[in-house]
Amino acid sequence: MRKRTQLAERLESALRWAGMSDEAITELRGDEERTGPGWQRLAKAVVDNPYPGMDPKPNSKGKFKARTLREGEASRPAMNAGLKFALEGSSLKEASYRYEYFKAIFDSEKRNIDKKYDNEGKNPPNSEKIKEASEFTLDPKTDIQGKFEADFETAKDMRGGDPVYIDPRESQEKIISLVREQAERIGMGNPLSTIYHARKHIHELPEDERENEQEQHQNKGTVQGKENDRESRGESGTVKDYLNSLAKTLKEGEIAGFERTQDGQAVHLTFRRVVEQARGSTGTASVPEDPTGRDEEKKTTLIGHLYIRDHTGAQVATYGRGSKNDRELE
């Protein structure tokens, strides 16, 4: 209970930093207890996805780092906009997903900006780059709601059918076979979860598995670039590429872990697929360019954590480059 209370306090402190009054926070929480699942879910979304300089704490001398304060001032407008976007959700759970989605868009643009300045051989203060990312999220032309709707519809079209039910009590060999056979139907459950993970992890995929996403976000001389008309047609290259890559890993990936849980009533599988690619051809966060020309190929390890339960069917919880422990298996 103490940890839940502390998490609630961290959420409320961050909301105050973003500009919400105590009255607005209380109204947002509604009838939900501070330690209740809805408020805790929102707390986890905000606390685990901090904006640069968010809700800074003083050092032992009661002073704040100037850089942290500058970064916070630069990111605060984006967090405010993200909260407004989140609160359009019909519940605290939906608001949490929307908050995470908006933050993933911000993070993606910040990576683009960092790369742009690296390519230009420039190194402005981080607060200036954060400000650019904030301005991108606030620009009506970015149309985050439009992206959200296109992503959501694509996730529903690709994985919106009935859940894939597999008996977790079957043999390991049978379970793995059934997963591989139905890989293109297995998703992440709620489309809101799917589109958040797609936006958060798309940059971790190999370049040749991001063809639709790259077409959709081609740069035309600026880091924001001109959007392809896919989104205006309700299509999302980002989600399409992400789910196609996930299916490929479920079908072809190595079984890095098979664990029976809940007294044998559930199963946790870890799929791992190692992709070799030319290091200098991508420039992505997961495979940075090597200016020395050495080490021409780089291995990227993609990890999918799949859970099979009677009440949910087969669902992937996370998919991307994986944790440090996952990558140590390379």
Side-chain angles (χ1 to χ4, degrees):
M1 184 64 73
R2 182 180 178 184
K3 289 184 178 180
R4 288 174 174 265
T5 301
Q6 290 174 337
L7 184 58
E9 289 172 351
R10 292 178 66 187
L11 165 64
E12 292 152 11
S13 180
L15 294 178
R16 292 188 194 98
W17 176 83
M20 289 187 71
S21 66
D22 288 341
E23 292 78 8
I25 293 172
T26 299
E27 182 179 353
L28 171 61
R29 184 160 57 84
D31 296 332
E32 180 83 10
E33 295 288 337
R34 295 176 77 217
T35 56
W39 200 241
Q40 290 290 300
R41 176 66 180 87
L42 181 61
K44 186 172 176 58
V46 173
V47 171
D48 288 355
N49 297 278
Y51 281 84
M54 184 183 83
D55 194 20
K57 299 297 184 286
N59 59 24
S60 58
K61 296 181 180 179
K63 296 183 179 180
F64 296 88
K65 289 184 178 180
R67 174 179 172 174
T68 301
L69 294 178
R70 288 194 298 270
E71 292 181 354
E73 287 304 307
S75 72
R76 199 193 315 255
M79 183 174 177
N80 274 319
L83 285 169
K84 291 178 182 177
F85 178 82
L87 298 183
E88 293 176 13
S90 60
S91 66
L92 288 173
K93 181 178 180 180
E94 184 177 337
S96 302
Y97 280 125
R98 290 176 66 94
Y99 182 91
E100 292 167 333
Y101 180 89
F102 190 100
K103 179 57 164 49
I105 298 285
F106 172 90
D107 289 340
S108 175
E109 184 60 18
K110 176 60 166 58
R111 283 191 298 271
N112 289 339
I113 292 167
D114 288 340
K115 182 182 176 183
K116 178 191 72 170
Y117 283 118
D118 286 345
N119 291 341
E120 294 174 353
K122 299 178 181 179
N123 187 30
N126 196 43
S127 58
E128 292 186 13
K129 293 184 283 187
I130 292 169
K131 183 179 179 182
E132 282 191 47
S134 291
E135 291 172 348
F136 173 80
T137 64
L138 298 172
D139 189 340
K141 291 182 293 185
T142 301
D143 189 15
I144 293 181
Q145 180 62 33
K147 296 181 191 298
F148 179 86
E149 292 172 1
D151 286 358
F152 190 87
E153 288 303 314
T154 301
K156 283 204 308 181
D157 289 344
M158 294 183 69
R159 297 294 189 275
D162 294 333
V164 173
Y165 288 105
I166 296 173
D167 189 344
R169 289 159 288 275
E170 289 278 9
S171 68
Q172 178 173 335
E173 184 177 279
K174 180 68 171 178
I175 289 173
I176 294 170
S177 176
L178 289 170
V179 169
R180 294 199 191 281
E181 289 174 9
Q182 303 175 88
E184 293 183 352
R185 292 181 52 216
I186 295 174
M188 307 183 83
N190 192 324
L192 293 172
S193 175
T194 302
I195 66 176
Y196 155 61
H197 282 283
R199 289 288 177 176
K200 181 176 181 179
H201 296 291
I202 188 68
H203 72 284
E204 300 172 5
L205 305 187
E207 187 175 60
D208 61 4
E209 295 184 19
R210 293 188 286 116
E211 294 178 356
N212 291 293
E213 183 258 353
Q214 290 175 350
E215 176 190 350
Q216 183 172 319
H217 299 285
Q218 286 179 359
N219 290 339
K220 304 295 183 181
T222 66
V223 68
Q224 287 98 338
K226 180 180 179 181
E227 293 289 347
N228 184 276
D229 68 350
R230 282 180 185 276
E231 287 173 357
S232 66
R233 302 196 306 268
E235 303 173 10
S236 169
T238 297
V239 173
K240 183 176 181 180
D241 285 343
Y242 185 72
L243 289 176
N244 285 341
S245 177
L246 169 59
K248 184 176 179 68
T249 295
L250 295 181
K251 284 192 288 187
E252 303 175 6
E254 162 188 7
I255 305 301
F258 185 98
E259 178 186 10
R260 294 190 185 273
T261 62
Q262 300 178 16
D263 295 326
Q265 303 304 302
V267 170
H268 171 205
L269 291 98
T270 303
F271 288 80
R272 180 182 67 204
R273 180 164 61 94
V274 180
V275 182
E276 293 190 2
Q277 54 190 331
R279 179 188 285 267
S281 69
T282 64
T284 63
S286 57
V287 190
E289 294 183 8
D290 182 5
T292 67
R294 297 173 299 188
D295 196 5
E296 294 181 356
E297 294 207 341
K298 173 70 177 178
K299 292 181 179 179
T300 297
T301 300
L302 298 172
I303 300 289
H305 289 282
L306 172 70
Y307 292 86
I308 299 173
R309 306 179 183 92
D310 284 333
H311 65 288
T312 62
Q315 288 186 359
V316 175
T318 61
Y319 176 64
R321 192 160 183 254
S323 67
K324 181 179 179 181
N325 289 337
D326 291 325
R327 296 195 298 271
E328 285 175 352
L329 298 172
E330 294 180 21

